[in-house]
Amino acid sequence: MYSAHLKRLGLVGGVIGTSVAAVYSVTTNSKNEGLSYPHIFQDIKSRVDYLREVQRASSMDKGFDVIVIGGGSIGAGTTLDLTARGLNVACFEKKDFASGTSSRSTKLIHGGVRYLEKAFMNLEFDQLTLVFEALAERKTFMNIAPYLTNPLPIITPCFQWWEIPYYWAGLKAYDFLSLGHGVYYSYFLSSSEAVRQFPMMNKKGLKGAVVYYDGQMNDARMNVSLAVTAATKGATLLNYMEVTQLLKNDQGQVIGVMAKDTFTEKEYKVYAKCVINACGPYVDAICRMDDTNHKDLIIPVQGTHVILPDYYSPSNMGLIVPKTKDGRVVFMLPWLGNTIAGTTDEKVELTETPNASEAEEKFILSALSDFLRIEVREDDVKATWAGIRPLCRDPTKSDTQSLVRNHLIYESTSGLVTVTGGKWTTYRKISEDVVNHILKTHSLPSVSKCSTKELQIVGAAGWDEALFTQLPQHYKRVKKTKGHQAESIMNTDIALHLSNSYGTRSFRVAELAQQGWGKRLAHGHPYLEAEVIFAVRHEFAMTAVDVLARRTRLAFIDSKAAEVALNRVVEIMGDELNWTPKQRKNQFDDAIKYLETMSLSVSMCSK
């Protein structure tokens, strides 16, 4: 069914490149003379090429050094670490990179202020260790992915006099733990200055506020960029490649996997010296393939977030409420021109398609209304999503807030290595730890030391905050409409979005926009048709949902706008990948089902 699809992908890979570095030069005309950001464009291979590499590994003597199961933050991060050390690595993801928890985070790169409070209040040393480690990783994260991250001040309102010294001292301790790798230091604001800087805050009874800093990111794009970076280093990565069985030798040791291409249903026997299970909340399913008597490692806990309009928060400051009426924490942060609010911790049954409950959404909105002087309305919610958090089981504690977010590395008697737990901020350190572990326990070739502390993701080398100014100066947007072409300027909002989403690779997207894919996908949003082409050719995108949710973030910030853009996304991808009419309809229907999980009220769309 997907033979034409795969053939087309093979053609794309052959034309564009095969994971070797090539200098990308812009078109030489008067519109882009003097471009001051020449850069290296490293491309990925085609899906056909990667499948050939998998086919070759069906022989034990030609197997991979390591197979990583799972393409989330830890799976992609581990694949990059292994590849950068010189090992031959394959990464198989059942769905899309970042399709699970890794695209549904709070978008914060943080040490964990509430974990620090628990460390002191409950004398829990493991919580303090986690905060210290995460603060160090926060700085590294922002250094290796500068265009996808930014420092964010977060205001903590104080409505009781005792809260001022309490929060001030706690946040100064937070500053102290981050010495040498901090962002900026915390500071106190009077009530009048707090309201001036965060005008939406309820000023009734406000005694003052304390502001501290953490980092913020675009999580799904970071995950995809890690995968692309690993691919440019030589890793074999395949999304929509489901591991269905573990292969074992006569001694019961894991020596590979059976993996199925979910588009063609073709199965592959793939050998490796080591198999790593990095499936986040879903690691137990792989563990049960290894041992039918396996006891679950994960307690599935769901966190819900809602997206509100930009006027709910200033564009450069977030808000955290450390304790609501029922003792929970809520926050409100600016993100991609909107406001993200959350979150909850609710025990749930494990599912691949988590849905936010009405009760969770109402809790978030109600909690915010106590601290804002604007009406918090359900009608203002633009999107809602939920993610399953991979919390490690601690049998001595019951409430989810006491569960430690430390990561766990566990090796079974058969040699299957499972890594789970932790959080997005510490993905790199978790990846380093699991690689160090397998180098001690498995017979693998000698390798270089870990380099991921300094290894920047694709698009980061040579990027700076002023790069976006080059795009409107040297590129136009050309829009194809009913057989005609119309030229338009590269608006500042689009230029900023491209620079902050693709780094130096934004020049390639801008060139595609100048070649005829310069139209916005949805009114009022900076996403371009060129990004659909770029996602298919250079970022592993295989479905309309991949583009709407994880290459762009339209589904996450405005589900109705994503529905509006859906027809055009399917049309562009269908032309690029030679989809049949049936495949196009299936893509449309699957995307509508996905958007329903983002609280979309499905309207009648032309199919």
Side-chain angles (χ1 to χ4, degrees):
M1 175 177 168
Y2 270 78
S3 58
H5 186 159
L6 293 176
K7 184 177 179 181
R8 175 62 173 160
L9 286 171
L11 176 61
V12 169
V15 172
I16 295 173
T18 57
S19 184
V20 294
V23 176
Y24 172 61
S25 58
V26 296
T27 306
T28 55
N29 59 37
S30 60
K31 294 177 181 177
N32 49 40
E33 287 177 358
L35 188 63
S36 60
Y37 289 92
H39 62 287
I40 300 298
F41 187 90
Q42 294 176 296
D43 212 349
I44 62 175
K45 298 179 184 179
S46 71
R47 186 175 182 87
V48 168
D49 288 333
Y50 287 133
L51 288 170
R52 288 195 188 107
E53 292 175 2
V54 168
Q55 185 68 57
R56 282 195 292 270
S58 62
S59 171
M60 287 192 68
D61 61 336
K62 295 181 180 179
F64 293 99
D65 290 326
V66 183
I67 291 173
V68 178
I69 308 173
S73 59
I74 296 176
T78 301
T79 302
L80 176 57
D81 190 319
L82 288 162
T83 306
R85 297 199 202 198
L87 292 170
N88 183 19
V89 188
C91 177
F92 299 146
E93 164 58 45
K94 179 179 179 181
K95 292 188 175 180
D96 184 31
F97 303 113
S99 59
T101 302
S102 295
S103 62
R104 296 167 177 263
S105 76
T106 303
K107 324 304 179 193
L108 283 177
I109 315 166
H110 65 118
V113 171
R114 59 176 173 167
Y115 306 148
L116 179 62
E117 182 182 29
K118 285 183 176 295
F120 286 125
M121 298 297 291
N122 303 331
L123 300 178
E124 296 181 8
F125 182 73
D126 57 347
Q127 294 275 12
L128 187 62
T129 301
L130 177 62
V131 173
F132 187 79
E133 179 183 89
L135 286 170
E137 286 301 307
R138 180 184 67 179
K139 183 65 173 178
T140 300
F141 198 128
M142 298 177 75
N143 286 340
I144 65 177
Y147 65 89
L148 287 173
T149 63
N150 59 273
L152 180 68
I154 302 173
I155 193 168
T156 308
C158 302
F159 292 92
Q160 302 291 333
W161 287 113
W162 66 264
E163 291 178 333
I164 295 175
Y166 181 79
Y167 293 135
W168 183 87
L171 292 170
K172 284 302 176 186
Y174 196 62
D175 293 341
F176 178 77
L177 288 174
S178 66
L179 285 177
H181 38 254
V183 182
Y184 298 104
Y185 295 128
S186 59
Y187 55 90
F188 171 74
L189 290 177
S190 66
S191 57
S192 59
E193 183 61 20
V195 172
R196 189 189 72 81
Q197 293 194 27
F198 203 109
M200 308 80 179
M201 189 188 306
N202 186 353
K203 58 184 179 181
K204 184 178 180 181
L206 184 67
K207 303 299 188 292
V210 183
V211 177
Y212 73 98
Y213 283 82
D214 261 324
Q216 192 175 45
M217 64 166 167
N218 187 333
D219 53 1
R221 286 214 54 81
M222 178 65 183
N223 198 152
V224 170
S225 297
L226 287 171
V228 172
T229 306
T232 65
K233 299 295 180 184
T236 297
L237 294 103
L238 285 162
N239 48 356
Y240 300 98
M241 192 73 162
E242 180 182 3
V243 170
T244 58
Q245 181 185 339
L246 298 177
L247 302 177
K248 295 185 178 182
N249 60 17
D250 293 340
Q251 290 73 45
Q253 295 298 295
V254 174
I255 55 173
V257 303
M258 290 296 296
K260 180 177 69 175
D261 182 337
T262 60
F263 289 128
T264 64
E265 298 296 316
K266 182 176 179 179
E267 286 202 292
Y268 297 82
K269 180 181 288 187
V270 194
Y271 288 101
K273 299 180 180 71
C274 176
V275 176
I276 297 175
N277 172 17
C279 296
Y282 310 102
V283 293
D284 289 317
I286 301 297
C287 289
R288 280 190 287 273
M289 293 182 189
D290 180 42
D291 178 5
T292 55
N293 296 318
H294 167 76
K295 293 182 179 180
D296 288 351
L297 299 172
I298 296 298
I299 297 176
V301 174
Q302 179 169 291
T304 294
H305 301 81
V306 301
I307 288 287
L308 297 163
D310 57 355
Y311 56 78
Y312 271 77
S313 65
S315 62
N316 61 346
M317 180 175 280
L319 176 144
I320 185 170
V321 178
K323 187 171 289 188
T324 60
K325 290 176 180 177
D326 63 357
R328 289 190 275 183
V329 177
V330 293
F331 63 83
M332 194 168 66
L333 312 169
W335 186 64
L336 300 183
N338 295 271
T339 300
I340 178 175
T343 183
T344 58
D345 268 338
E346 299 289 338
K347 288 185 180 180
V348 292
E349 293 295 323
L350 190 62
T351 174
E352 291 186 356
T353 54
N355 288 285
S357 70
E358 184 178 354
E360 289 175 304
E361 181 178 307
K362 285 185 175 181
F363 159 72
I364 293 170
L365 297 180
S366 174
L368 289 177
S369 66
D370 292 336
F371 296 91
L372 299 178
R373 53 175 172 161
I374 61 175
E375 182 184 359
V376 180
R377 307 183 310 168
E378 288 186 36
D379 290 346
D380 287 338
V381 175
K382 301 171 71 176
T384 304
W385 74 84
I388 304 295
R389 298 175 180 174
L391 304 188
C392 297
R393 181 181 294 277
D394 185 340
T396 66
K397 299 173 184 176
S398 57
D399 66 294
T400 61
Q401 289 295 318
S402 294
L403 291 170
V404 179
R405 266 69 168 176
N406 283 333
H407 62 281
L408 169 72
I409 298 173
Y410 167 76
E411 184 167 337
S412 70
T413 56
S414 69
L416 175 68
V417 177
T418 295
V419 54
T420 189
K423 59 182 180 179
W424 235 121
T425 303
T426 55
Y427 86 90
R428 193 211 61 81
K429 183 63 168 61
I430 297 170
S431 301
E432 179 183 355
D433 287 350
V434 73
V435 174
N436 289 341
H437 173 87
I438 67 168
L439 290 175
K440 295 175 182 177
T441 61
H442 287 72
S443 299
L444 294 167
S446 59
V447 296
S448 57
K449 292 183 179 180
C450 178
S451 61
T452 53
K453 269 191 175 182
E454 297 79 32
L455 179 59
Q456 291 189 305
I457 63 170
V458 289
W463 179 88
D464 65 42
E465 291 84 352
L467 181 143
F468 79 95
T469 62
Q470 296 290 315
L471 300 178
Q473 288 182 342
H474 300 287
Y475 293 96
K476 299 291 185 181
R477 292 190 295 124
V478 176
K479 299 175 280 187
K480 298 176 182 177
T481 307
K482 297 180 180 179
H484 301 285
Q485 289 191 348
E487 191 175 274
S488 179
I489 64 170
M490 184 70 71
N491 307 75
T492 302
D493 68 317
I494 293 174
L496 275 167
H497 154 67
L498 294 180
S499 176
N500 294 336
S501 298
Y502 302 91
T504 55
R505 291 159 68 89
S506 58
F507 293 113
R508 180 63 67 94
V509 184
E511 178 140 310
L512 289 170
Q514 191 163 269
Q515 292 171 1
W517 289 285
K519 190 176 182 180
R520 294 177 189 257
L521 287 172
H523 178 71
H525 294 279
Y527 304 111
L528 300 181
E529 292 178 352
E531 294 178 74
V532 183
I533 298 292
F534 188 87
V536 172
R537 295 180 182 178
H538 308 296
E539 293 187 329
F540 298 106
M542 300 288 289
T543 72
V545 172
D546 294 348
V547 170
L548 289 170
R550 294 175 288 274
R551 305 312 184 274
T552 74
R553 305 310 308 275
L554 191 55
F556 275 78
I557 62 174
D558 192 336
S559 57
K560 291 183 179 178
E563 181 193 8
V564 171
L566 176 56
N567 270 322
R568 183 57 178 150
V569 170
V570 170
E571 181 182 6
I572 295 170
M573 294 187 74
D575 292 345
E576 184 74 6
L577 298 172
N578 286 339
W579 284 343
T580 65
K582 182 179 179 181
Q583 287 171 329
R584 293 175 190 241
K585 184 180 185 303
N586 289 342
Q587 286 290 323
F588 184 95
D589 292 344
D590 289 346
I592 287 294
K593 290 177 183 177
Y594 178 86
L595 292 174
E596 286 175 346
T597 70
M598 314 297 279
S599 294
L600 171 68
S601 298
V602 182
S603 65
M604 295 301 294
C605 291
S606 139
K607 300 185 182 183

